[in-house]
Amino acid sequence: MSIQYEEEQNIFHLKAGGMSYAMQVVRGKYLAHLYWGRGIRSYEGSRSLIQKERVLEANPESGDKSFSLGTLPQEYPQYGNGDFRSCAFCVRDEAGSRISSLSYQGYKIEKGKPGLPGLPASFGKEPEAETLRIHLRDEAAGLDVFLLYSVFEKENVIARSVCFENRSQKELMLEKMMSMSLDIRESDFDVLTLYGAHNNERNPDRRPLKSGTIQIESLRGVSSPQQSPFMALLRKGTKEDQGEVFAANFVYSGNFQALAQADSFGNTRFQMGMNPWNGEWLLEPGESFWTPEVLLVYSDKGLNGMSHTFHRFIRNHLIRSPYGKQERPILINSWEAAYFDFTEEKLLALAGKAKEAGIELFVLDDGWFGKRNDESCSLGDWYENREKLPLGLHSLEQKIHSMGMQFGLWVEPEMISEDSDLYRAHPDYVLHTEGRPYTYGRRQLVLDLSRQEVCNYVLDAMEKVLSLAGIDYIKWDMNRHLTDVGSAFLPSKRQGEVFHRYVLGLYWILERLTANHPEVLFESCSSGGGRFDAGMLYYMPQTWCSDNTDPVCRIGIQYATSLIYPPVAMGAHVSASPSHQTGRISPLSTRGNVAMSANFGYELDLTKCTEGELLEISEQVRFYKEIRNTVQKGAFYRLENPFEGNTAAWEFVSEDGREVLAFRFTVLCRPNAPVEILKLQGLDEEARYQNAKTGEIYGGDELMYSGISIPPEEGDYRSGCFRFWRV
Ligand code: DGJ
């Protein structure tokens, strides 16, 4: 049993994989957090909850000065009666009061993992998962709160979400509704988050938690490259391969907030959920509201341990597409090869070269529709541009298919250009606030997906695109963030819902489109990796990692992205040198090694490559086909951190443990440098491994503990791949 309830002490003990999570109902009313960490057989309460009188803390019970909600470690803390830390939720009643008093009502244990209405969510059937539903009630407000904990038997994962139900006869305004809150009775942590920008996504930021709060958020309407919806607490001294990690990742693509708050008594409040700023929700009598879910992951094997859990979990319990389990095709994308400037002839020439190199999927990026010759127009006009494609998309697709390649197409369905037939017909479709001027991003406006009519239009438009031609792949782009957020169709008291309604609208469309077309491989994109989150991965099994394809930058971006997401989820392409983003000149071999460490493709004009380059590309494609199964389904280890030095390295071990691939990168060449070594991980100590190139055989223990010498090479941006077979 993954969920145990001990009646005498009112303790819930959740066991997931190798971890335990314990809670207790205190004084018949309050839900306290007891423990989250390494698995223990049975939680008896040796570390009792000692409360003592602390001056200036408030007491909910008059006769007992020792008991205070301000110092009690809690699971879902409320506002207004003595807990002065960040509350997990806040409800405003019709009288304007924000005070809540929840009291425990009971619990239920269900087999399996329930879905969340209208939201992406992890899945698992019995016996993979079991769900605890704890019922709390605020009698005065007439509010029921259900805390959901889904425990995955074989994984160190608990998925948490919350449901609010208005059982009163009055309206309730939900002002804050975190998906997860817990209080750890320790505070000596580092906090790890990922920050960045366009072309510079996901840089790790590790800082000590001192007094007060470390908080990250997005108010951009999307999860954003500025801050990933992820936060981890790291025990001091935690490294890649050792130490304890307590991580939270949000299965949501909109505004979010995550925080770690250290109080004055050595406790840490850890929270994640939708951003409360401009994020209210009006709950009518009888209505319910579900928060998106948070995945809680525990590791006692450092950051690599955390990543292994996330990677396996995302592949097996989050990505819904049948492609989640299938090998992904090697693609050529037309964007950096041609941008907006192409003809059918040019595309076919590119496809021809790609086919010769063994590439499997041709993707026509932006510029194929309306009169789109630059970014100023046509978003919304999803029909072929007959000047560029006089015979239409269908004819192009047929030619590509007859070459023996798959055909893919770029779309940006959430947007509208002012210069478009769609805008001329439906200017009201724009997300905007009446009487205010528009704010532009990439010269475009956002469709108001908080409106069902607009969602219907987008779904219909995309169904038409998919019927234009035989389409095997869709790249779903989103190139600006939300501004002027408001709705002429909602009453003033519902204006705070528009951000979330936008995301729900997007999910409504994706739910239907991806279910109607399971045969289509979807890749999400937002000016590169600007909406790389677990919510999007639920619908679309891969995400374009960054517009920055410079291999030196990509080493860091892919390294840090792998903290949460498996390499198969990261689109990674070889592009031209000098790089279009940085101007850097780099070897084709290194561009290949970086891109083939993820979901591999190309994005350059192959018709301009030399014979030598084309040969090398064919060789890369051939090699990737050989290693694809291991890269896309194997276990991934980060070996050397590019954010800490001049080198980076990572390794893949195939599911059956037979194949080992280590990639190593040196940024700048150092003259007369020491000989460097690389130590592998994840091998069988007792087994022997043969170097695929040299035939030499070594023990797994030797490769891991003594390591491999790296032959010195001249020149900057060098890299190598070491491949071993277990013999
Ligand atoms: C942004 C994407 O990240 C690029 O890959 C490309 O598709 C452009 N949009 C096209 O406008």
Side-chain angles (χ1 to χ4, degrees):
M1 277 268 286
S2 313
I3 300 173
Q4 294 169 353
Y5 175 62
E6 199 277 298
E7 217 171 321
E8 216 164 280
Q9 296 192 77
N10 262 321
I11 289 179
F12 295 97
H13 181 183
L14 280 44
K15 291 174 161 188
M19 81 181 188
S20 284
Y21 188 106
M23 300 171 272
Q24 184 172 28
V25 181
V26 177
R27 300 184 179 213
K29 189 168 177 189
Y30 307 105
L31 190 62
H33 178 85
L34 295 178
Y35 175 73
W36 179 23
R38 198 172 166 142
I40 44 188
R41 280 166 299 160
S42 145
Y43 192 95
E44 307 290 348
S46 57
R47 187 175 170 192
S48 49
L49 278 177
I50 295 181
Q51 289 256 294
K52 57 180 187 175
E53 182 185 346
R54 295 191 189 271
V55 173
L56 291 182
E57 294 301 332
N59 319 113
E61 293 166 24
S62 103
D64 187 354
K65 291 205 284 180
S66 72
F67 186 72
S68 162
L69 296 182
T71 55
L72 183 73
Q74 293 179 75
E75 277 294 308
Y76 207 62
Q78 62 212 18
Y79 170 77
N81 25 47
D83 188 339
F84 302 105
R85 298 168 287 181
S86 171
C87 55
F89 74 103
C90 181
V91 180
R92 195 176 74 234
D93 65 20
E94 279 189 347
S97 165
R98 292 187 171 85
I99 294 170
S100 294
S101 352
L102 291 180
S103 66
Y104 174 78
Q105 304 294 309
Y107 74 95
K108 259 196 203 153
I109 296 175
E110 296 159 30
K111 301 282 171 218
K113 160 78 173 62
L116 301 179
L119 290 163
S122 59
F123 47 82
K125 293 199 190 82
E126 187 197 357
E128 295 167 327
E130 203 170 27
T131 300
L132 170 67
R133 189 184 289 256
I134 292 188
H135 181 191
L136 307 168
R137 173 170 291 169
D138 183 332
E139 204 60 66
L143 177 74
D144 276 342
V145 178
F146 297 92
L147 307 183
L148 265 72
Y149 300 80
S150 291
V151 181
F152 288 80
E153 179 127 29
K154 294 218 172 90
E155 302 290 350
N156 288 339
V157 180
I158 293 178
R160 277 190 67 174
S161 58
V162 180
C163 175
F164 296 89
E165 270 178 34
N166 183 354
R167 45 188 298 280
S168 77
Q169 300 307 315
K170 296 179 177 165
E171 289 179 347
L172 293 174
M173 184 63 87
L174 298 177
E175 290 192 330
K176 180 177 183 182
M177 43 283 201
M178 291 284 116
S179 298
M180 175 290 283
S181 178
L182 59 99
D183 293 340
I184 301 181
R185 287 185 275 167
E186 283 165 89
S187 61
D188 201 15
F189 294 114
D190 287 339
V191 177
L192 177 69
T193 56
L194 298 170
Y195 75 96
H198 175 240
N199 275 345
N200 183 24
E201 291 90 342
R202 289 172 292 285
N203 297 271
D205 183 1
R206 181 174 178 162
R207 39 194 157 149
L209 179 62
K210 295 196 172 152
S211 63
T213 305
I214 293 179
Q215 180 177 310
I216 56 158
E217 65 179 8
S218 168
L219 283 167
R220 295 167 174 267
V222 299
S223 48
S224 96
Q226 275 67 24
Q227 293 287 352
S228 292
F230 161 85
M231 182 177 269
L233 305 180
L234 275 47
R235 183 87 59 199
K236 295 283 179 196
T238 291
K239 298 184 180 146
E240 282 290 4
D241 54 355
Q242 65 182 61
E244 278 190 301
V245 183
F246 304 83
N249 197 40
F250 204 16
V251 187
Y252 187 61
S253 312
N255 289 344
F256 75 93
Q257 188 180 78
L259 64 86
Q261 183 177 43
D263 72 10
S264 310
F265 307 114
N267 304 301
T268 304
R269 179 154 290 176
F270 191 22
Q271 283 181 345
M272 183 174 272
M274 288 164 52
N275 201 317
W277 166 252
N278 205 3
E280 295 177 341
W281 194 273
L282 181 72
L283 213 52
E284 304 271 5
E287 281 184 352
S288 316
F289 178 88
W290 288 84
T291 71
E293 78 182 18
V294 166
L295 303 176
L296 291 177
V297 166
Y298 168 76
S299 163
D300 58 359
K301 296 187 178 57
L303 291 165
N304 265 319
M306 171 193 78
S307 304
H308 287 159
T309 300
F310 270 129
H311 293 187
R312 261 198 322 268
F313 189 81
I314 286 169
R315 281 200 306 251
N316 297 325
H317 296 287
L318 187 82
I319 292 181
R320 209 176 46 151
S321 156
Y323 279 93
K325 300 262 186 295
Q326 287 168 27
E327 287 192 348
R328 314 292 170 85
I330 303 171
L331 66 80
I332 174 94
N333 179 296
S334 68
W335 182 241
E336 284 196 30
Y339 294 103
F340 293 106
D341 180 19
F342 56 81
T343 56
E344 184 186 275
E345 201 186 346
K346 198 166 164 182
L347 296 176
L348 289 173
L350 180 63
K353 288 285 179 200
K355 175 65 192 166
E356 278 171 32
I359 293 172
E360 300 156 320
L361 162 65
F362 179 86
V363 179
L364 174 53
D365 209 278
D366 198 351
W368 61 267
F369 53 93
K371 53 185 181 68
R372 180 97 163 160
N373 291 317
D374 58 41
E375 57 188 37
S376 68
C377 70
S378 299
L379 291 169
D381 297 347
W382 299 112
Y383 39 82
E384 307 92 322
N385 177 321
R386 291 277 174 173
E387 271 168 37
K388 292 181 193 176
L389 302 172
L391 304 174
L393 209 54
H394 182 49
S395 154
L396 174 68
E397 163 261 305
Q398 282 193 321
K399 287 173 190 145
I400 302 280
H401 276 131
S402 66
M403 287 178 182
M405 293 175 87
Q406 294 182 309
F407 181 71
L409 201 61
W410 176 98
V411 288
E412 194 179 357
E414 295 160 71
M415 298 294 149
I416 179 167
S417 305
E418 260 180 321
D419 181 3
S420 68
D421 293 344
L422 179 66
Y423 183 82
R424 284 180 280 274
H426 297 288
D428 60 301
Y429 277 14
V430 173
L431 181 66
H432 70 290
T433 298
E434 287 296 298
R436 301 266 172 202
Y438 293 154
T439 310
Y440 299 83
R442 208 195 190 198
R443 302 182 67 183
Q444 63 202 45
L445 302 166
V446 183
L447 285 171
D448 183 358
L449 299 190
S450 73
R451 285 176 63 191
Q452 187 59 48
E453 187 190 350
V454 181
C455 293
N456 294 345
Y457 150 75
V458 173
L459 180 60
D460 193 46
M462 288 306 109
E463 287 290 1
K464 284 196 183 118
V465 167
L466 280 165
S467 68
L468 279 178
I471 292 171
D472 306 293
Y473 161 106
I474 286 282
K475 177 175 173 187
W476 183 293
D477 206 346
M478 200 274 189
N479 286 304
R480 58 157 296 177
H481 293 160
L482 274 48
T483 55
D484 318 312
V485 174
S487 169
F489 298 86
L490 290 171
S492 65
K493 58 188 179 182
R494 290 200 180 271
Q495 290 300 315
E497 298 175 9
V498 181
F499 269 119
H500 185 50
R501 282 181 183 269
Y502 179 92
V503 182
L504 292 178
L506 172 64
Y507 290 157
W508 182 90
I509 296 163
L510 293 178
E511 175 70 34
R512 280 147 191 83
L513 194 66
T514 56
N516 293 347
H517 300 279
E519 75 291 355
V520 175
L521 172 59
F522 285 87
E523 176 158 344
S524 83
C525 170
S526 177
S527 295
R531 196 166 53 180
F532 204 140
D533 62 60
M536 294 310 282
L537 276 179
Y538 172 80
Y539 300 104
M540 310 202 198
Q542 56 195 62
T543 304
W544 178 225
C545 204
S546 174
D547 275 350
N548 190 343
T549 47
D550 173 319
V552 177
C553 302
R554 267 296 183 120
I555 291 168
I557 295 170
Q558 291 175 206
Y559 185 95
T561 304
S562 81
L563 281 162
I564 318 169
Y565 301 107
V568 66
M570 303 175 206
H573 300 169
V574 171
S575 59
S577 176
S579 156
H580 291 194
Q581 291 76 37
T582 61
R584 195 183 339 256
I585 294 173
S586 62
L588 180 53
S589 55
T590 294
R591 280 175 276 148
N593 282 333
V594 175
M596 71 175 86
S597 298
N599 197 328
F600 191 41
Y602 287 83
E603 186 153 343
L604 74 169
D605 189 351
L606 295 174
T607 64
K608 297 220 172 87
C609 289
T610 64
E611 278 308 308
E613 286 170 332
L614 287 174
L615 262 179
E616 193 174 340
I617 288 171
S618 306
E619 182 47 31
Q620 289 176 342
V621 170
R622 189 199 59 73
F623 184 62
Y624 189 73
K625 286 178 183 168
E626 269 186 39
I627 63 170
R628 167 161 50 187
N629 195 55
T630 298
V631 170
Q632 297 191 353
K633 296 184 182 164
F636 180 77
Y637 295 82
R638 289 177 301 274
L639 303 179
E640 290 176 3
N641 186 344
F643 296 93
E644 287 174 357
N646 189 40
T647 64
W650 48 60
E651 179 196 328
F652 299 86
V653 180
S654 62
E655 277 178 306
D656 62 7
R658 282 197 64 234
E659 187 178 21
V660 178
L661 291 162
F663 289 89
R664 188 171 194 273
F665 309 90
T666 305
V667 179
L668 293 180
C669 175
R670 291 190 299 159
N672 211 4
V675 174
E676 292 170 348
I677 53 158
L678 179 66
K679 294 183 180 177
L680 302 189
Q681 285 187 30
L683 308 190
D684 179 349
E685 284 186 354
E686 316 255 316
R688 296 173 68 69
Y689 295 84
Q690 181 167 39
N691 184 316
K693 210 188 248 165
T694 64
E696 289 154 345
I697 296 180
Y698 308 98
D701 46 1
E702 185 180 351
L703 290 170
M704 291 195 290
Y705 310 137
S706 178
I708 313 168
S709 298
I710 304 294
E713 255 195 297
E714 280 186 7
D716 294 337
Y717 323 127
R718 299 289 147 178
S719 62
C721 173
F722 301 87
R723 188 182 191 193
F724 292 91
W725 292 106
R726 195 173 67 194
V727 288

